[in-house]
Amino acid sequence: MSVIDFFLRGHDLGLVVLAAVVCLVSSYACVGLLRHAHRAQGRVRLTWTVVAALAVGFGIWATHFVAVLAFRPGFTLSYDVGLTTTSLLIAILVCGAGIAMAIRGSSAADHFLGGAVVGVAISSMHYAGIAALVMGGDLGWNPAMITTSILAGIVLGGLAFVSAMGTGTRRLLGGAGLLTLAICAMHFTAMGAADFSRCFPLVANGSIHNGWLAVALAFISVLILGAALGSVLLDEADRRRTARERERQLRDAERINEATSRLELAMTHMAQGLSLYDGEGHLRLYNARLPQLLGIDPERDLAGLSFRDICQLTIVGRGEAPDNLDELTERVLEQHMPLIRGKGGEIVHTFSDERTLRINHSPVGDGSWVSTVDDITERQRSAAAIAHLARHDGLTGLPNRAMFNEHFDAALANAEESDNNLAVIAIDLDRFKEVNDSYGHAAGDVVLKTLAARLSEGLKDGELVARLGGDEFAALKSFTSMDAVREFLARLEAALFTRLVIDGSAINTGGSIGVAIYPEDGADRSKLLNNADLAMYRAKAEFDRRVAYYESEMDEHARQRRDMARDIWAALEQNAFYLAYQVQKSVATGDITGYEVLLRWERPGHGNVSPADFIPVAEECGAIGAIGNWVLKMACLEAASWPEPYKIAVNISGLQLAQVELIDTVRSVLILSGLSPERLELEVTETSIIADKQRALHILRQIKAMGVSIAIDDFGTGYSSLDTLRSFPFDKIKLDRSFMDEVEDNEQSKAIVRAILALGRSLHVPVLAEGVETRAQLEVLKLEGCNEAQGFLLGRPGAIDWDDALEAGLLA
């Protein structure tokens, strides 16, 4: 209470407030600089320690003397220059020591001790400053209050530094407040401990007047204020820098964590085995896939093992170590080390369990390297399968044309260099198309695979069988005696001619075989294959022959067919074909019902050629489609100009019927000619329908919808399937001419004709008999109820002479 009373009555409150402000500013500057110096290192830390010591030292000193100026003892005070300066030095030096202790300390105790030293500096400076007062008399003191003032400075100073060295703005402001309290509490308690009642003023040389002291204090206050402002700026800059650094470190940590996580994720889930070896060749990093691929126990820790150790573990796998393990290891190292010590590269290893691994080494440059392991087992298998498919038939597994040609060329080269001969054999299955048509393509595939297995069974050295495509096979036989060739052909023939049971159906297989011999029948692959084909076609053409050897006259036959094919194309370009018409009549009345359109060709230099001769060649050379379209067009144009609206019947080839374009062709021809659709009848054979029944019937339905009639030709031969008649509403059945030859005196032929006529009546489909050449044949047809007939008896094919027809009463 005496201190408070002394404070209220004996001081200029305005200057007291100023002293408190100076104290607070200097305290804030001190703790701010203290923090800054604590974060600095080396000489920078020393610099900031000195700055902090100056700020707090001047602050304590200025606070003291401003407060002394506020003191009103009843007389004017003067100050000794030396002691005043000494008090300032005490404040700076002792505070500097306390600040240095706090900065270098790491615990709260260290920080408290540094603050306590600053508290000692406050007390020492104060009492040195009191001693600097120039006055007379006897200054009295209260020991208890002196002790209290010193303890207040020490305790509050220590607490101030503990708070200031913490983190956050609140701890900073708390430290500044506690230091301000330490200075003020110490000063005013110490001032309260002094008794100036027995003192009087003195004037001494070298003393400082109050006015000059005020100027000095004002200057020092500006310095302190600047230091405080600088401390604020430094603290803010430091705070921002710290925040940026923390943010950068946080980002770096996040990137590192993310990269680490990604690396771990990639290493865990990558399909490759990954390993990193140091410069000494020891394994430092690997993923879980590595031991799996190498066949090493995944539970075993491989870190630190040498590359040699890894090679040995890979060789052993999970089995027993072989007796020559060291030798095998050296072989492996001899393969890998040149790559590791060189520029890197890859090696492919195939293991006994059919695993294939590709190992790639990538040197880093400091002796270390990265190795990756890929399991390419499936890739190798796929590559091998693709390579096999490239040279083998996909269905039968036999060598294909490419592989056959390779072996053919090699066999020719061998035959040229040795005394061996070479037999080239062409094989074509008989009636294979019928198998596909009757039993389906699945059954056809079974036939091909079975015959391929039989043909290739028991092949000897120098023998080869290949599938060239479809039902076409070929074989090679190197030989020195014809007996060996005949024995090989006997085996092939036995393999071809067999009886197969597929899905309960019995299928008899067979084939035609043609043989050409090197060097007698040709010296190159193309010539020999061509001659073998010619021989095969000769065998196919002769009913009782299975194997045919090439003969030179076969070339002449083939040349003739080539010449005819050339002339057929020329005839198309020159419009050299012409049409003939054969009349069709009612059996009951003899009236004309229509005309069948027949194609004729007078070949230059050869005269008239039978369609039976040139139509097969036209089919072979691809001209049949163009010929069929020409016939349809010209027949419709000519019929449209006739004086009587008789129906015309035009034959459609199997090739035409297989083309959807036939629908548009018929439509455009009818539009072009102006012929009524009811006057056009298209004749198709059942064989041409069976080739692709669904497509053929679709095309016929579209044409029939136009109003065109559809007749099934040559019925009674080929398939003669009732299913075909059931599948499509034909407008006419044409009985094949072969039945007319014996119908007069052969009861069996007559019974067949009778059955077909009865079938037509039951289906309400009229029947026309072809090949009627005698009156007896016509009488049989009339007796059996046949609807229509055509043949030489009723009229030969040719141009229609309408005048003669009128005179004969045909148009009546």
Side-chain angles (χ1 to χ4, degrees), residues 92-310:
I92 294 173
L93 294 176
V94 180
C95 284
I99 291 172
M101 292 174 63
I103 290 172
R104 285 166 175 75
S106 58
S107 64
D110 295 334
H111 300 155
F112 183 87
L113 183 59
V117 172
V118 172
V120 171
I122 296 170
S123 301
S124 300
M125 177 268 143
H126 176 81
Y127 287 107
I130 294 298
L133 292 175
V134 179
M135 58 184 177
D138 185 16
L139 180 62
W141 292 98
N142 184 336
M145 294 186 68
I146 291 174
T147 302
T148 302
S149 67
I150 294 172
L151 290 175
I154 292 172
V155 174
L156 292 175
L159 294 175
F161 271 36
V162 171
S163 176
M165 291 300 284
T167 57
T169 304
R170 291 184 178 181
R171 296 289 296 270
L172 178 67
L173 296 177
L178 285 172
L179 186 58
T180 300
L181 185 59
I183 296 172
C184 292
M186 185 278 146
H187 174 81
F188 289 108
T189 303
M191 290 298 292
D195 183 6
F196 292 89
S197 61
R198 296 190 297 275
C199 298
F200 53 87
L202 290 177
V203 178
N205 292 330
S207 62
I208 302 175
H209 190 269
N210 276 352
W212 288 110
L213 183 60
V215 172
L217 291 175
F219 176 72
I220 291 172
S221 298
V222 171
L223 290 179
I224 294 171
L225 186 61
L229 181 60
S231 174
V232 171
L233 295 177
L234 286 173
D235 186 71
E236 178 62 21
D238 190 64
R239 185 189 65 78
R240 292 181 179 179
R241 183 171 60 255
T242 302
R244 287 196 299 271
E245 182 66 19
R246 185 182 298 110
E247 183 178 354
R248 184 187 65 79
Q249 292 177 351
L250 182 61
R251 287 199 302 269
D252 291 344
E254 289 177 351
R255 283 197 292 268
I256 292 172
N257 290 336
E258 183 179 1
T260 302
S261 299
R262 288 181 177 178
L263 177 60
E264 292 178 353
L265 186 65
M267 290 182 63
T268 301
H269 295 283
M270 68 188 302
Q272 293 177 315
L274 178 68
S275 54
L276 172 63
Y277 295 87
D278 61 19
E280 302 298 325
H282 293 94
L283 184 60
R284 294 304 177 195
L285 178 68
Y286 67 96
N287 64 351
R289 184 68 173 146
L290 181 71
Q292 294 176 1
L293 291 176
L294 297 181
I296 301 174
D297 185 359
E299 299 298 324
R300 177 159 187 171
D301 185 9
L302 304 181
L305 296 181
S306 66
F307 182 66
R308 180 187 182 88
D309 296 334
I310 299 299

Side-chain angles (χ1 to χ4, degrees), residues 55-74:
V56 72
F58 272 111
I60 296 170
W61 189 81
T63 299
H64 169 78
F65 281 99
V66 171
V68 171
L69 287 176
F71 178 51
R72 297 289 184 264

Side-chain angles (χ1 to χ4, degrees), residues 65-97:
F65 281 99
V66 171
V68 171
L69 287 176
F71 178 51
R72 297 289 184 264
F75 53 86
T76 301
L77 297 173
S78 297
Y79 306 91
D80 182 87
V81 175
L83 289 174
T84 300
T85 302
T86 299
S87 67
L88 176 59
L89 292 175
I90 290 172
I92 294 173
L93 294 176
V94 180
C95 284

Side-chain angles (χ1 to χ4, degrees), residues 472-494:
E472 182 183 357
F473 295 81
L476 298 173
K477 169 69 176 179
S478 296
F479 68 96
T480 55
S481 70
M482 283 302 297
D483 288 341
V485 176
R486 284 189 283 272
E487 187 273 336
F488 182 49
L489 291 173
R491 279 189 279 130
L492 294 179
E493 189 175 352

Side-chain angles (χ1 to χ4, degrees), residues 391-393 396-404 407 464-468:
R391 304 176 75 245
H392 291 79
D393 177 57
T396 64
L398 292 178
N400 60 10
R401 186 181 294 273
M403 187 175 177
F404 176 78
H407 283 264
L464 176 74
V465 175
R467 182 189 179 203
L468 305 186

